[in-house]
Amino acid sequence: MESRTAEESIAAILAGETSSAELVEDAIRRSEDDPWGAFLARDGERARARAKEIDAAAERPPLAGVPIAIKDVLSTRDLETTAGSQILKGFRPVYTATCVERLEQAGAVVVGKTNMDEFAMGSSTENSSYQLTKNPWDLGTVPGGSSGGSAATVAARQVPWSLGSDTGGSIRQPAALCGVVGMKPTYGAVSRYGLIAFASSLDQVGPFARTVRDSALLLSHIVGQDPRDSTSLDWWKPIEMPTAERLDGVKIGVIQEMLDNGIEPGVKAATEAAIATAEGLGAEITEVSLPSSRHGIAAYYLIAPAEASTNLSRFDGMRYGARAEAEDLLEHFERTRGEGFGPEVKRRIMLGTFALASGYYDAYYARAQKVRTLIVRDFVAAFENVDLLLSPTSPTTAFKIGERVDDPYAMYTSDVCTIPMSLAGLPAISIPCGLADGLPVGLQLSGPAFSENDLFSAAHALEQAIAFDATPAGVA
Ligand code: GLN
């Protein structure tokens, strides 16, 4: 069966050309045929039952029974949820994350959980303690991370869309490397109830899809306040399906810092071509500087580990998942955490604990927070003059498996273009804008808080004009 986008799938179901059962069966078959290693857990039986129920219902729910995959950082009741970590091996949550529950209520059918860097720490999915995920464009390269499985599964046409989480770039960067659309909403837009926390002042859930419209459709069903997450916002304006074909009068600022240092020539060329396309559609292009953004990585790698070090203290072998054999309580904690966490997670816990230690707090954590404020101010100043900002999503295309895994600093630089928006809590979207040496390049558009509709609208117009054929060879 030919793969359809989510919107096409819904239309085909409503026209009686296919059914949820048929689409879900196809997605299950595709998820089982998984040379990319995108899936960790599958839920065929429950998915089949749910599809049948939706097909038989008197009234079709809005998402009509279209299959979806979920990053393994989101809790799914009775379905193993590991966050890519051995410490949660065998953990079956007793409840489902609000965002997943909302999608199920809207008629999406969960077929499985996707691979990820352990606790969402990484940029290549190589930090998963279970398996590698391979980029469908070139099996020798990484899919990006941490939501590598969710990006790869959409690129590989196993499912039309998926959910991921983004703390410093984990939706946008893998979307860029896999040639799909990835969107990180405004901080607080989507409930994090049931999201296994990494860095709570940064974490957001968002969609992966093949088109900007599918991305908007998915987001429209998960935004909104949730009494079980006090940081979730009362979302007063509905997410609209974008239709714009032009960008007349839209002021777009090109972020200077993100076109110069360390950007691969092929990425720069594709970005410049996209800028020319935007201009052709009527956008007013200017240059914008975010001077403090160059300190983004340094600030992020103090703030995110600091928050992670406290968030991950709950994994003690008492309440969830794996439990090591031990003689006494202290040994129990030490062995469970020593054996259960992988090297990157331990590195972050140590970094974060150090940054928060009383003698170092002001020098590291407090200073990083001040840098964060400066970055926020840079954005505020920029949005006085422009509507949206544009940059590459990732400085490079997909890199080789193994290339950066022993060099944390090289891995950390993958997010140089995405971290500033995360620190400022802003929405941003990555769309494919072309190829460099046969691998996809992602274009990032970002906007002020709550500018989701404007972002989708501009991204849609650009996507239509760029008309990138984002199907990897060998994928149908
Ligand atoms: N690559 C970044 C990190 O390792 C971002 C990860 C994320 O957004 N979850 O922390």
Side-chain angles (χ1 to χ4, degrees):
M1 191 197 292
E2 181 200 344
S3 62
R4 296 181 174 94
T5 65
E7 219 184 341
E8 287 164 0
S9 301
I10 294 169
I13 293 174
L14 295 181
E17 291 160 18
T18 185
S19 60
S20 171
E22 199 178 351
L23 291 182
V24 165
E25 202 54 52
D26 183 51
I28 292 170
R29 186 184 56 72
R30 286 170 186 261
S31 73
E32 283 167 356
D33 175 18
D34 188 21
W36 308 284
F39 280 85
L40 285 175
R42 295 168 180 84
D43 198 8
E45 280 325 297
R46 193 161 59 169
R48 283 188 184 104
R50 183 72 189 119
K52 231 173 162 178
E53 223 173 83
I54 294 174
D55 283 335
E59 206 178 318
R60 278 219 176 252
L63 298 180
V66 172
I68 191 165
I70 306 291
K71 185 179 182 181
D72 205 32
V73 73
L74 287 159
S75 296
T76 43
R77 190 155 72 102
D78 296 334
L79 177 60
E80 188 172 3
T81 300
T82 67
S85 183
Q86 293 299 317
I87 211 164
L88 283 175
K89 196 178 168 73
F91 172 55
R92 288 172 193 277
V94 293
Y95 64 90
T96 296
T98 299
C99 57
V100 178
E101 203 168 54
R102 284 184 179 171
L103 286 176
E104 287 182 324
Q105 275 161 10
V109 178
V110 175
V111 295
K113 305 295 288 290
T114 58
N115 196 27
M116 56 181 282
D117 284 304
E118 186 175 2
F119 287 108
M121 297 172 185
S123 299
S124 67
T125 313
E126 291 164 291
N127 294 336
S128 165
S129 71
Y130 294 95
Q131 66 199 34
L132 279 176
T133 294
K134 296 172 182 167
N135 190 319
W137 289 85
D138 174 351
L139 299 188
T141 66
V142 303
S146 64
S147 317
S150 282
T153 192
V154 174
R157 309 296 186 248
Q158 292 174 305
V159 286
W161 53 13
S162 63
L163 278 187
S165 66
D166 189 311
T167 303
S170 280
I171 294 174
R172 292 161 284 161
Q173 184 260 11
L177 271 47
C178 288
V180 299
V181 177
M183 207 273 170
K184 180 199 97 77
T186 303
Y187 181 77
V190 180
S191 165
R192 280 115 36 104
Y193 182 75
L195 171 74
I196 296 170
F198 163 14
S200 305
S201 75
L202 297 153
D203 297 340
Q204 258 303 284
V205 175
F208 284 94
R210 276 163 54 188
T211 66
V212 173
R213 282 174 63 90
D214 274 3
S215 178
L217 180 61
L218 190 46
L219 186 65
S220 74
H221 287 282
I222 57 176
V223 290
Q225 201 162 33
D226 174 10
R228 292 175 296 189
D229 173 4
S230 60
T231 63
S232 67
L233 299 165
D234 184 8
W235 202 260
W236 68 97
K237 47 183 175 189
I239 301 290
E240 290 156 8
M241 286 296 271
T243 54
E245 286 168 10
R246 302 269 315 160
L247 293 171
D248 296 303
V250 180
K251 294 191 189 128
I252 298 181
V254 177
I255 305 173
Q256 283 318 290
E257 288 79 2
M258 297 183 190
L259 259 195
D260 298 334
N261 330 333
I263 306 293
E264 255 175 24
V267 171
K268 188 167 174 173
T271 309
E272 281 168 347
I275 295 170
T277 306
E279 215 160 12
L281 294 175
E284 288 171 35
I285 308 285
T286 51
E287 293 189 351
V288 163
S289 172
L290 302 174
S292 299
S293 67
R294 67 194 177 92
H295 302 300
I297 291 189
Y300 173 89
Y301 278 98
L302 289 165
I303 294 168
E307 295 181 14
S309 71
T310 59
N311 271 330
L312 268 54
S313 65
R314 61 169 64 89
F315 301 105
D316 56 8
M318 289 289 168
R319 287 168 283 194
Y320 320 90
R323 171 177 296 189
E325 293 295 319
E327 296 287 312
D328 59 33
L329 191 61
L330 186 62
E331 190 191 338
H332 165 89
F333 290 145
E334 286 175 351
R335 289 201 48 196
T336 299
R337 289 169 68 85
E339 292 164 17
F341 288 139
E344 183 62 25
V345 175
K346 288 178 184 164
R347 182 180 294 125
R348 306 276 180 119
I349 292 173
M350 286 191 278
L351 258 171
T353 306
F354 183 81
L356 291 175
S358 61
Y360 298 105
Y361 186 95
D362 285 339
Y364 294 108
Y365 185 73
R367 187 176 285 193
Q369 293 289 16
K370 289 179 184 166
V371 171
R372 185 176 193 170
T373 301
L374 294 177
I375 291 174
V376 170
R377 287 186 192 157
D378 278 359
F379 279 108
V380 170
F383 289 128
E384 275 170 16
N385 302 312
V386 297
D387 303 311
L388 302 174
L389 292 169
L390 179 154
S391 72
T393 307
S394 158
T396 69
T397 55
F399 43 93
K400 294 255 173 300
I401 291 172
E403 188 181 304
R404 297 191 191 171
V405 82
D406 297 321
D407 182 352
Y409 187 73
M411 192 69 91
Y412 295 173
T413 59
S414 306
D415 289 316
V416 64
C417 301
T418 50
I419 278 176
M421 295 77 183
S422 299
L423 288 169
L426 303 177
I429 188 167
S430 178
I431 62 167
C433 71
L435 294 175
D437 293 328
L439 292 172
V441 176
L443 180 78
Q444 178 177 233
L445 292 174
S446 52
F450 316 119
S451 65
E452 271 76 356
N453 284 332
D454 297 338
L455 270 182
F456 282 130
S457 178
H460 172 73
L462 267 172
E463 171 191 56
Q464 299 306 304
I466 293 170
F468 172 67
D469 176 12
T471 312
V475 165

